[in-house]
PDB file of all heavy atoms in Angstrom:
ATOM      1  N   GLY V1277     108.579  94.142 114.020  1.00 95.00           N
ATOM      2  CA  GLY V1277     109.443  95.140 114.652  1.00 95.00           C
ATOM      3  C   GLY V1277     110.160  94.604 115.872  1.00 95.00           C
ATOM      4  O   GLY V1277     111.350  94.887 116.085  1.00 95.00           O
ATOM      5  N   VAL V1278     109.465  93.819 116.676  1.00 95.00           N
ATOM      6  CA  VAL V1278     110.098  93.207 117.853  1.00 95.00           C
ATOM      7  C   VAL V1278     111.176  92.223 117.416  1.00 95.00           C
ATOM      8  O   VAL V1278     112.282  92.193 117.973  1.00 95.00           O
ATOM      9  CB  VAL V1278     109.034  92.519 118.731  1.00 95.00           C
ATOM     10  CG1 VAL V1278     109.703  91.705 119.841  1.00 95.00           C
ATOM     11  CG2 VAL V1278     108.094  93.555 119.342  1.00 95.00           C
ATOM     12  N   ALA V1279     110.874  91.395 116.405  1.00 94.00           N
ATOM     13  CA  ALA V1279     111.851  90.430 115.915  1.00 94.00           C
ATOM     14  C   ALA V1279     113.095  91.116 115.362  1.00 94.00           C
ATOM     15  O   ALA V1279     114.212  90.597 115.483  1.00 94.00           O
ATOM     16  CB  ALA V1279     111.218  89.546 114.843  1.00 94.00           C
ATOM     17  N   ASN V1280     112.924  92.308 114.774  1.00 93.00           N
ATOM     18  CA  ASN V1280     114.053  93.059 114.230  1.00 93.00           C
ATOM     19  C   ASN V1280     114.793  93.870 115.291  1.00 93.00           C
ATOM     20  O   ASN V1280     115.806  94.517 114.980  1.00 93.00           O
ATOM     21  CB  ASN V1280     113.573  94.000 113.119  1.00 93.00           C
ATOM     22  CG  ASN V1280     113.141  93.245 111.880  1.00 93.00           C
ATOM     23  OD1 ASN V1280     113.570  92.116 111.640  1.00 93.00           O
ATOM     24  ND2 ASN V1280     112.275  93.864 111.078  1.00 93.00           N
ATOM     25  N   GLY V1281     114.279  93.862 116.527  1.00 93.00           N
ATOM     26  CA  GLY V1281     114.919  94.598 117.599  1.00 93.00           C
ATOM     27  C   GLY V1281     114.746  96.102 117.520  1.00 93.00           C
ATOM     28  O   GLY V1281     115.477  96.860 118.175  1.00 93.00           O
ATOM     29  N   LEU V1282     113.745  96.565 116.752  1.00 93.00           N
ATOM     30  CA  LEU V1282     113.540  98.001 116.559  1.00 93.00           C
ATOM     31  C   LEU V1282     112.224  98.501 117.149  1.00 93.00           C
ATOM     32  O   LEU V1282     111.900  99.674 117.036  1.00 93.00           O
ATOM     33  CB  LEU V1282     113.600  98.339 115.063  1.00 93.00           C
ATOM     34  CG  LEU V1282     114.953  98.057 114.395  1.00 93.00           C
ATOM     35  CD1 LEU V1282     114.866  98.260 112.889  1.00 93.00           C
ATOM     36  CD2 LEU V1282     116.035  98.965 114.984  1.00 93.00           C
ATOM     37  N   VAL V1283     111.463  97.603 117.754  1.00 92.00           N
ATOM     38  CA  VAL V1283     110.220  97.958 118.441  1.00 92.00           C
ATOM     39  C   VAL V1283     110.264  97.305 119.810  1.00 92.00           C
ATOM     40  O   VAL V1283     110.569  96.110 119.941  1.00 92.00           O
ATOM     41  CB  VAL V1283     108.977  97.480 117.655  1.00 92.00           C
ATOM     42  CG1 VAL V1283     107.713  97.643 118.491  1.00 92.00           C
ATOM     43  CG2 VAL V1283     108.846  98.244 116.348  1.00 92.00           C
ATOM     44  N   ALA V1284     109.965  98.071 120.844  1.00 93.00           N
ATOM     45  CA  ALA V1284     109.991  97.548 122.209  1.00 93.00           C
ATOM     46  C   ALA V1284     108.814  96.599 122.422  1.00 93.00           C
ATOM     47  O   ALA V1284     107.706  96.848 121.938  1.00 93.00           O
ATOM     48  CB  ALA V1284     109.927  98.688 123.210  1.00 93.00           C
ATOM     49  N   PRO V1285     109.030  95.489 123.115  1.00 94.00           N
ATOM     50  CA  PRO V1285     107.907  94.583 123.424  1.00 94.00           C
ATOM     51  C   PRO V1285     106.802  95.317 124.177  1.00 94.00           C
ATOM     52  O   PRO V1285     107.069  96.198 124.994  1.00 94.00           O
ATOM     53  CB  PRO V1285     108.563  93.510 124.289  1.00 94.00           C
ATOM     54  CG  PRO V1285     110.012  93.547 123.925  1.00 94.00           C
ATOM     55  CD  PRO V1285     110.312  94.989 123.636  1.00 94.00           C
ATOM     56  N   GLY V1286     105.573  94.931 123.885  1.00 95.00           N
ATOM     57  CA  GLY V1286     104.408  95.554 124.495  1.00 95.00           C
ATOM     58  C   GLY V1286     103.464  96.092 123.439  1.00 95.00           C
ATOM     59  O   GLY V1286     103.614  97.237 122.985  1.00 95.00           O
ATOM     60  N   PHE V1287     102.502  95.251 122.993  1.00 95.00           N
ATOM     61  CA  PHE V1287     101.601  95.657 121.916  1.00 95.00           C
ATOM     62  C   PHE V1287     100.713  96.827 122.328  1.00 95.00           C
ATOM     63  O   PHE V1287     100.363  97.674 121.504  1.00 95.00           O
ATOM     64  CB  PHE V1287     100.736  94.463 121.505  1.00 95.00           C
ATOM     65  CG  PHE V1287      99.876  94.721 120.298  1.00 95.00           C
ATOM     66  CD1 PHE V1287     100.446  94.975 119.066  1.00 95.00           C
ATOM     67  CD2 PHE V1287      98.487  94.701 120.402  1.00 95.00           C
ATOM     68  CE1 PHE V1287      99.655  95.210 117.944  1.00 95.00           C
ATOM     69  CE2 PHE V1287      97.687  94.930 119.297  1.00 95.00           C
ATOM     70  CZ  PHE V1287      98.272  95.182 118.057  1.00 95.00           C
ATOM     71  N   GLY V1288     100.369  96.903 123.634  1.00 93.00           N
ATOM     72  CA  GLY V1288      99.531  98.002 124.105  1.00 93.00           C
ATOM     73  C   GLY V1288     100.195  99.360 123.919  1.00 93.00           C
ATOM     74  O   GLY V1288      99.515 100.354 123.634  1.00 93.00           O
ATOM     75  N   ALA V1289     101.503  99.426 124.064  1.00 92.00           N
ATOM     76  CA  ALA V1289     102.218 100.680 123.841  1.00 92.00           C
ATOM     77  C   ALA V1289     102.452 100.927 122.352  1.00 92.00           C
ATOM     78  O   ALA V1289     102.496 102.077 121.902  1.00 92.00           O
ATOM     79  CB  ALA V1289     103.552 100.659 124.589  1.00 92.00           C
ATOM     80  N   PHE V1290     102.603  99.853 121.583  1.00 94.00           N
ATOM     81  CA  PHE V1290     102.882  99.984 120.150  1.00 94.00           C
ATOM     82  C   PHE V1290     101.677 100.531 119.391  1.00 94.00           C
ATOM     83  O   PHE V1290     101.817 101.399 118.520  1.00 94.00           O
ATOM     84  CB  PHE V1290     103.272  98.616 119.583  1.00 94.00           C
ATOM     85  CG  PHE V1290     103.324  98.549 118.081  1.00 94.00           C
ATOM     86  CD1 PHE V1290     104.465  98.930 117.402  1.00 94.00           C
ATOM     87  CD2 PHE V1290     102.224  98.099 117.350  1.00 94.00           C
ATOM     88  CE1 PHE V1290     104.522  98.859 116.014  1.00 94.00           C
ATOM     89  CE2 PHE V1290     102.274  98.027 115.966  1.00 94.00           C
ATOM     90  CZ  PHE V1290     103.427  98.406 115.300  1.00 94.00           C
ATOM     91  N   LEU V1291     100.474 100.020 119.695  1.00 94.00           N
ATOM     92  CA  LEU V1291      99.308 100.301 118.864  1.00 94.00           C
ATOM     93  C   LEU V1291      98.945 101.780 118.788  1.00 94.00           C
ATOM     94  O   LEU V1291      98.727 102.300 117.678  1.00 94.00           O
ATOM     95  CB  LEU V1291      98.118  99.475 119.351  1.00 94.00           C
ATOM     96  CG  LEU V1291      96.873  99.524 118.451  1.00 94.00           C
ATOM     97  CD1 LEU V1291      97.202  99.022 117.055  1.00 94.00           C
ATOM     98  CD2 LEU V1291      95.752  98.689 119.065  1.00 94.00           C
ATOM     99  N   PRO V1292      98.863 102.530 119.900  1.00 93.00           N
ATOM    100  CA  PRO V1292      98.514 103.956 119.773  1.00 93.00           C
ATOM    101  C   PRO V1292      99.515 104.732 118.931  1.00 93.00           C
ATOM    102  O   PRO V1292      99.124 105.589 118.125  1.00 93.00           O
ATOM    103  CB  PRO V1292      98.496 104.445 121.229  1.00 93.00           C
ATOM    104  CG  PRO V1292      98.277 103.221 122.045  1.00 93.00           C
ATOM    105  CD  PRO V1292      98.970 102.122 121.315  1.00 93.00           C
ATOM    106  N   ARG V1293     100.804 104.440 119.107  1.00 91.00           N
ATOM    107  CA  ARG V1293     101.814 105.147 118.303  1.00 91.00           C
ATOM    108  C   ARG V1293     101.676 104.780 116.819  1.00 91.00           C
ATOM    109  O   ARG V1293     101.781 105.638 115.940  1.00 91.00           O
ATOM    110  CB  ARG V1293     103.209 104.785 118.813  1.00 91.00           C
ATOM    111  CG  ARG V1293     104.343 105.401 117.996  1.00 91.00           C
ATOM    112  CD  ARG V1293     105.694 104.980 118.538  1.00 91.00           C
ATOM    113  NE  ARG V1293     106.763 105.370 117.619  1.00 91.00           N
ATOM    114  CZ  ARG V1293     108.034 105.054 117.782  1.00 91.00           C
ATOM    115  NH1 ARG V1293     108.406 104.330 118.836  1.00 91.00           N
ATOM    116  NH2 ARG V1293     108.939 105.435 116.896  1.00 91.00           N
ATOM    117  N   TYR V1294     101.414 103.505 116.560  1.00 92.00           N
ATOM    118  CA  TYR V1294     101.258 103.048 115.179  1.00 92.00           C
ATOM    119  C   TYR V1294     100.066 103.722 114.506  1.00 92.00           C
ATOM    120  O   TYR V1294     100.161 104.205 113.370  1.00 92.00           O
ATOM    121  CB  TYR V1294     101.097 101.531 115.184  1.00 92.00           C
ATOM    122  CG  TYR V1294     100.785 100.909 113.842  1.00 92.00           C
ATOM    123  CD1 TYR V1294     101.802 100.588 112.954  1.00 92.00           C
ATOM    124  CD2 TYR V1294      99.473 100.619 113.475  1.00 92.00           C
ATOM    125  CE1 TYR V1294     101.529 100.000 111.732  1.00 92.00           C
ATOM    126  CE2 TYR V1294      99.185 100.034 112.251  1.00 92.00           C
ATOM    127  CZ  TYR V1294     100.213  99.728 111.383  1.00 92.00           C
ATOM    128  OH  TYR V1294      99.930  99.151 110.167  1.00 92.00           O
ATOM    129  N   LEU V1295      98.938 103.761 115.206  1.00 92.00           N
ATOM    130  CA  LEU V1295      97.726 104.325 114.606  1.00 92.00           C
ATOM    131  C   LEU V1295      97.797 105.840 114.471  1.00 92.00           C
ATOM    132  O   LEU V1295      97.156 106.423 113.595  1.00 92.00           O
ATOM    133  CB  LEU V1295      96.502 103.931 115.438  1.00 92.00           C
ATOM    134  CG  LEU V1295      96.155 102.434 115.435  1.00 92.00           C
ATOM    135  CD1 LEU V1295      94.970 102.158 116.348  1.00 92.00           C
ATOM    136  CD2 LEU V1295      95.855 101.951 114.016  1.00 92.00           C
ATOM    137  N   SER V1296      98.568 106.494 115.330  1.00 88.00           N
ATOM    138  CA  SER V1296      98.670 107.955 115.250  1.00 88.00           C
ATOM    139  C   SER V1296      99.476 108.402 114.039  1.00 88.00           C
ATOM    140  O   SER V1296      99.261 109.495 113.507  1.00 88.00           O
ATOM    141  CB  SER V1296      99.316 108.508 116.520  1.00 88.00           C
ATOM    142  OG  SER V1296     100.700 108.184 116.552  1.00 88.00           O
ATOM    143  N   MET V1297     100.420 107.589 113.587  1.00 84.00           N
ATOM    144  CA  MET V1297     101.291 107.890 112.439  1.00 84.00           C
ATOM    145  C   MET V1297     102.064 109.192 112.615  1.00 84.00           C
ATOM    146  O   MET V1297     102.528 109.790 111.653  1.00 84.00           O
ATOM    147  CB  MET V1297     100.483 107.935 111.129  1.00 84.00           C
ATOM    148  CG  MET V1297      99.907 106.606 110.712  1.00 84.00           C
ATOM    149  SD  MET V1297      99.115 106.635 109.087  1.00 84.00           S
ATOM    150  CE  MET V1297      97.687 107.646 109.437  1.00 84.00           C
TER     151      MET V1297
END
Side-chain angles (χ1 to χ4, degrees):
V1278 172
N1280 290 336
L1282 297 173
V1283 170
F1287 186 64
F1290 169 85
L1291 188 59
R1293 177 181 170 185
Y1294 174 85
L1295 293 177
S1296 71
M1297 293 186 291

